[in-house]
């Protein structure tokens, strides 16, 4: 079984003159510290899915992700700890014959079987998961399995993510809770778990991803049977697209680490904090706002 998580995750206060000039306070919700092998929002998302899979009698997790997917590593670790098999469907068949990067090596070290699909087939399979025929085809190849879409986002994951908001016990009308948005599950849970008056802001890390607004609304409808009006997604700070780290973003992350002693994961967390700083400097955050930024995962390891 998985070792217990260190919950609630700690809060780290950040004193920064840039934000102080805008009248904005910042604290970090350090979900990256909750578990060594299943950190951050992946713990929140995976544990409810593991319970549901076990209740349904499944013995294999099947997860979708890219070459550096946090989900694939975390799902591999979680499945191994629960005595389950795991399969990772990786986007890009050109990666199959290349040396494994650190992330895929870690997934395989936990026993995950990797299967590499051409990008078009990957998109078609992922987009067709609601089709019983697509699911049958997956099970014909890998056996009966509990399927996790990209990011591990489904209703179970969204409901698990609501626990992050529940740990913030003193929120009020001056509070804005921020998180990165790749698939929408974490933001959906945060918004659903906030008390009246507090608001949630998601920062899209994917370019041209207006569909994420509909995805969050769908998760609310399916998971809570209602809509929530306390959230929005910022689509202007994606850094050029998923996985892209432009020089301005890299410089911001390096400066933040130097000033505050906290290294930032670049593809999600740094984009979220960069957005907070830019919105504050532009006067788009009301003076007196306290921002809680959810650190959804640790930085990539430093190459040896």
């Amino acid at each position: 079984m998985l070792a217990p998580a260190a919950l609630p995750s700690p809060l780290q206060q950040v004193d920064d003159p840039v934000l102080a000039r805008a009248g904005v306070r910042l604290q970090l919700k350090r979900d990256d510290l909750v578990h060594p092998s299943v950190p951050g929002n992946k713990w929140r998302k995976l544990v409810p899915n593991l319970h549901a899979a076990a209740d349904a009698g499944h013995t294999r997790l099947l997860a979708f992700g890219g070459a550096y997917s946090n989900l694939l590593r975390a799902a591999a670790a979680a499945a191994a700890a629960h005595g389950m098999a795991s399969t990772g469907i990786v986007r890009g068949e050109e990666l199959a014959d290349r040396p494994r990067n650190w992330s895929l090596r870690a997934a395989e070290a936990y026993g995950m079987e990797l299967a590499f699909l051409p990008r078009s087939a990957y998109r078609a399979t992922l987009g067709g998961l609601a089709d019983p025929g697509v699911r049958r085809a997956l099970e014909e190849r890998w056996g009966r399995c509990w399927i996790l879409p990209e990011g591990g986002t489904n209703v179970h994951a969204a409901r698990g993510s609501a626990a992050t908001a529940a740990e913030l016990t003193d929120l009020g009308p001056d509070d804005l809770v921020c998180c990165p948005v790749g698939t929408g599950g974490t933001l959906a849970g945060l918004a659903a778990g906030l008390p009246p008056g507090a608001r949630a802001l998601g920062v899209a890390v994917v370019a041209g991803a207006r569909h994420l607004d509909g995805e969050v609304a769908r998760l609310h409808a399916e998971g809570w049977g209602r809509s929530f009006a306390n959230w929005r997604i910022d689509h202007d700070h994606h850094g050029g697209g998923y996985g892209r780290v432009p020089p301005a973003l890299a410089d911001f992350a390096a400066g933040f680490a130097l000033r505050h002693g906290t290294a930032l994961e670049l593809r999600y967390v740094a984009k979220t904090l960069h957005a907070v700083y830019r919105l504050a400097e532009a006067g788009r955050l009301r003076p007196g706002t306290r921002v809680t930024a959810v650190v959804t995962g640790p930085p990539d390891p430093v190459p040896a």
Side-chain angles (χ1 to χ4, degrees):
M1 298 293 287
L2 281 175
L7 296 173
S9 59
L11 286 169
Q12 175 185 338
Q13 303 301 316
V14 176
D15 296 319
D16 196 297
V18 172
L19 298 178
R21 285 194 296 270
V24 173
R25 294 172 291 158
L26 174 65
Q27 59 183 5
L28 306 181
K29 178 67 168 158
R30 295 296 303 272
D31 267 16
D32 57 316
L33 301 178
V34 301
H35 198 274
S37 56
V38 189
N41 65 344
K42 294 302 178 278
W43 174 273
R44 312 277 190 184
K45 290 179 170 184
L46 277 171
V47 169
N49 271 287
L50 284 167
H51 291 162
D55 289 345
H58 290 276
T59 60
R60 176 179 293 272
L61 293 183
L62 187 147
F64 286 78
Y68 289 91
S69 169
N70 294 324
L71 174 66
L72 294 185
R73 298 194 311 277
H82 278 74
M84 300 176 71
S86 63
T87 298
I89 309 298
V90 185
R91 181 177 61 247
E93 68 174 343
E94 72 277 4
L95 302 172
D97 297 326
R98 294 181 185 175
R100 300 289 194 255
N101 63 39
W102 66 268
S103 185
L104 295 179
R105 282 200 308 272
E108 286 187 321
Y110 284 115
M112 175 172 273
E113 176 187 358
L114 299 179
F116 298 83
L117 289 186
R119 293 170 189 272
S120 58
Y122 178 93
R123 288 192 298 270
T125 304
L126 188 62
L129 289 180
D131 182 342
V134 172
R135 287 183 172 255
R136 276 198 304 273
L138 291 171
E139 293 191 353
E140 285 173 3
R141 180 167 180 184
W142 284 288
R144 190 165 178 265
C145 49
W146 185 264
I147 297 174
L148 296 168
E150 276 190 333
T153 289
N154 54 21
V155 168
H156 298 289
R159 294 186 68 87
S161 296
T164 304
E167 292 174 8
L168 300 169
T169 57
D170 64 341
L171 299 181
D174 292 329
D175 281 288
L176 181 68
V177 182
C178 298
C179 70
V181 182
T183 54
T186 297
L187 177 61
L190 283 176
L194 290 178
R199 298 159 293 138
L201 172 68
V203 177
V205 302
V206 184
R210 297 285 173 176
H211 68 279
L212 290 171
D213 296 82
E215 179 64 9
V216 173
R218 181 190 68 79
L219 290 167
H220 283 156
E222 293 185 10
W224 287 267
R226 54 163 292 194
S227 62
F228 295 84
N230 62 349
W231 62 276
R232 72 177 183 89
I233 298 179
D234 178 296
H235 290 278
D236 298 327
H237 295 92
H238 49 69
Y242 179 74
R244 295 186 180 180
V245 182
L249 180 62
D251 290 345
F252 166 80
F256 188 93
L258 184 64
R259 294 192 305 274
H260 305 295
T262 301
L264 301 177
E265 186 277 324
L266 295 176
R267 292 179 293 277
Y268 293 87
V269 178
K271 290 182 180 182
T272 301
L273 285 169
H274 196 210
V276 168
Y277 275 71
R278 292 179 68 179
L279 291 171
E281 290 179 287
R284 294 174 60 189
L285 296 181
R286 185 176 68 243
T289 297
R290 178 176 62 172
V291 174
T292 301
V294 181
V295 181
T296 53
D300 292 351
V302 177

